[in-house]
Amino acid sequence: MTAPLVVAQIVQHLAPGGIETMALDIQRKARKPENVHIISLEGTMPEAIEHWPRLQGMERVHFLTKPPGLSLTTVTKLAQLLRQLNVDVVHTHHVGPLIYGGVAAKLARCGHIHTEHDAWHLNNQKRRWLVAACFHLLKPSVAADAELVATSIRQHIPLFTPSVILNGIDTDKFQPSGQAEARSKLNLPLDAAIIGCAARFTEVKSHNLLIHAFSRLPENTHLALAGGGELEHELKNLTRRLNIEQRVHFLSVIDDMPGFYHAIDIFCLASKKEGLPLSPLEAQACQRVVVMTDVGGCREAVDPESGILITAGSTQELETALKAQLSSGINKEKQESARNFVVNHCNLERMISQYDDLYCGRSI
């Protein structure tokens, strides 16, 4: 029997987000967790813990403190670390890790798997040339986290046929539970309909559009926002200008994400751009219906029987969809359909099994 491979997942920085959560989940649920490392190009452990308490006490997590701009020293440090850890396969996420991890894998004589998480950035010519050059020179085995992402790669980078491995979430961790207790822990009203969003406060996530649409909903509706980011102050000011600050709850970064989903009734993501996001999968696994913009791989992350997809950038469509879910989406049949969709199509065990096949050089 062959020994399990040692895998190093490489991310740009360890901060709350879908890619980073995926890396942590792959490590946590691996057949041999002690053989899976996570390497962050940027930052330090204390900095990461400050923004993401979940990392406290975690093992096999490494930080290279990469400075801004191109850093050849970081490539050298990474290659040395890969040799020190006896890594067999490097698994990179996104462009920065693709470059640094790919070169370091060559120097350390490791295998190389790369996951492409977004389709939209390949529309930029310079980014497309960079990714294509990395694919052809570094020759990683490429996986796309959604069929739409795979289509974009095939369209923009000829001769590459990526595998498709849909993002998966832990359906044992994310499952239904009591709402009243969850709301009490977050100091949310017990008798209101609550719409929730979990995303970084950045321009691409369109929180401002969500807040504007929400401002037109009935007075007994509340909005719970989990996350942090550079736009937090601006968004709080917006709620004051719209005179809805008493109905909008800024909850900061939440470590207990299942509890957040249990507390809400409807999950909403109004992003301008996405890959295949994890948050709607987590929400649906907790039996929460969703409203999402039809961008990136979002269509592949939404149960067609219970979820609603809308055009990005349309406040009117978002308002209409939220009202529709408020009037008909909070029922047992739709909630069960949402969870069944995730269990059957987007579960973590299936995703890890498929990546294991790639690590071992097997086709999927």
Side-chain angles (χ1 to χ4, degrees):
M1 182 176 180
T2 58
L5 297 175
V6 176
V7 177
Q9 296 191 80
I10 304 179
V11 299
Q12 191 71 27
H13 53 81
L14 266 179
I19 292 173
E20 296 79 12
T21 297
M22 170 184 168
L24 294 178
D25 283 346
I26 288 177
Q27 183 192 65
R28 180 173 59 87
K29 297 288 278 189
R31 184 162 59 93
K32 288 279 189 178
E34 63 271 22
N35 283 14
V36 181
H37 298 265
I38 299 174
I39 301 173
S40 175
L41 296 180
E42 299 177 0
T44 66
M45 178 62 102
E47 291 171 346
I49 291 173
E50 181 181 356
H51 294 98
W52 207 2
R54 172 181 177 178
L55 299 175
Q56 184 73 49
M58 289 203 64
E59 300 178 348
R60 300 176 302 284
V61 178
H62 315 269
F63 293 81
L64 298 182
T65 63
K66 187 185 90 65
L70 182 63
S71 172
L72 296 179
T73 302
T74 301
V75 175
T76 303
K77 287 173 61 177
L78 179 54
Q80 290 173 342
L81 180 60
L82 296 177
R83 295 190 194 100
Q84 177 186 333
L85 298 175
N86 296 314
V87 170
D88 298 298
V89 179
V90 164
H91 184 176
T92 57
H93 302 271
H94 255 320
V95 179
L98 168 64
I99 298 169
Y100 286 89
V103 175
K106 292 293 184 187
L107 295 174
R109 300 182 182 276
C110 302
H112 182 192
I113 306 295
H114 175 71
T115 298
E116 193 62 42
H117 294 271
D118 294 313
W120 56 268
H121 77 113
L122 293 180
N123 293 325
N124 178 285
Q125 188 177 67
K126 289 184 178 179
R127 181 63 67 91
R128 183 165 64 248
W129 286 348
L130 176 61
V131 173
C134 289
F135 282 6
H136 287 292
L137 293 173
L138 301 175
K139 301 188 185 314
S141 297
V142 179
D145 71 354
E147 183 57 48
L148 181 136
V149 176
T151 298
S152 179
I153 294 173
R154 289 191 290 265
Q155 175 185 346
H156 293 300
I157 307 178
L159 305 180
F160 261 88
T161 305
S163 305
V164 178
I165 301 180
L166 292 179
N167 287 347
I169 60 106
D170 186 348
T171 54
D172 292 327
K173 177 181 178 181
F174 294 95
Q175 59 177 301
S177 188
Q179 188 173 79
E181 181 181 356
R183 289 189 175 187
S184 294
K185 288 181 179 179
L186 294 173
N187 294 316
L188 295 173
L190 300 178
D191 57 351
I194 299 180
I195 296 162
C197 176
R200 290 173 181 163
F201 296 141
T202 60
E203 192 266 343
V204 74
K205 299 298 183 181
S206 297
H207 287 87
N208 59 334
L209 186 144
L210 172 57
I211 289 172
H212 275 288
F214 169 77
S215 70
R216 304 173 187 176
L217 300 183
E219 288 288 328
N220 64 342
T221 309
H222 285 239
L223 177 63
L225 301 175
E230 62 267 23
L231 296 183
E232 183 170 350
H233 182 69
E234 179 180 322
L235 295 172
K236 288 181 176 178
N237 284 338
L238 176 59
T239 66
R240 285 190 282 269
R241 291 199 303 272
L242 295 172
N243 198 30
I244 57 172
E245 68 270 25
Q246 298 302 317
R247 296 196 291 130
V248 181
H249 309 269
F250 288 85
L251 303 178
S252 299
V253 175
I254 294 178
D255 194 40
D256 178 20
M257 285 308 299
F260 172 76
Y261 300 123
H262 299 153
I264 67 175
D265 297 296
I266 297 164
F267 181 80
C268 181
L269 201 59
S271 306
K272 297 177 182 179
K273 300 173 182 178
E274 284 288 350
L276 195 149
L278 294 179
S279 53
L281 298 178
E282 295 169 350
Q284 290 173 106
C286 293
Q287 291 193 346
R288 296 299 177 254
V289 298
V290 302
V291 173
M292 291 181 63
T293 45
D294 191 5
V295 295
C298 288
R299 181 172 291 271
E300 297 171 62
V302 175
D303 170 34
E305 301 300 321
S306 65
I308 298 178
L309 290 163
I310 63 166
T311 305
S314 173
T315 305
Q316 182 58 56
E317 278 194 44
L318 182 53
E319 175 192 350
T320 301
L322 289 173
K323 286 180 176 177
Q325 290 289 45
L326 286 169
S327 64
S328 66
I330 307 173
N331 67 69
K332 186 175 181 180
E333 184 177 342
K334 283 195 171 185
Q335 290 172 340
E336 290 178 349
S337 177
R339 176 169 172 80
N340 289 338
F341 169 81
V342 178
V343 170
N344 293 331
H345 299 285
C346 304
N347 67 79
L348 182 62
E349 288 77 11
R350 172 205 49 79
M351 182 188 77
I352 290 176
S353 176
Q354 289 180 302
Y355 275 120
D356 280 343
D357 286 339
L358 276 189
Y359 298 157
C360 296
R362 297 188 290 265
S363 60
I364 63 172

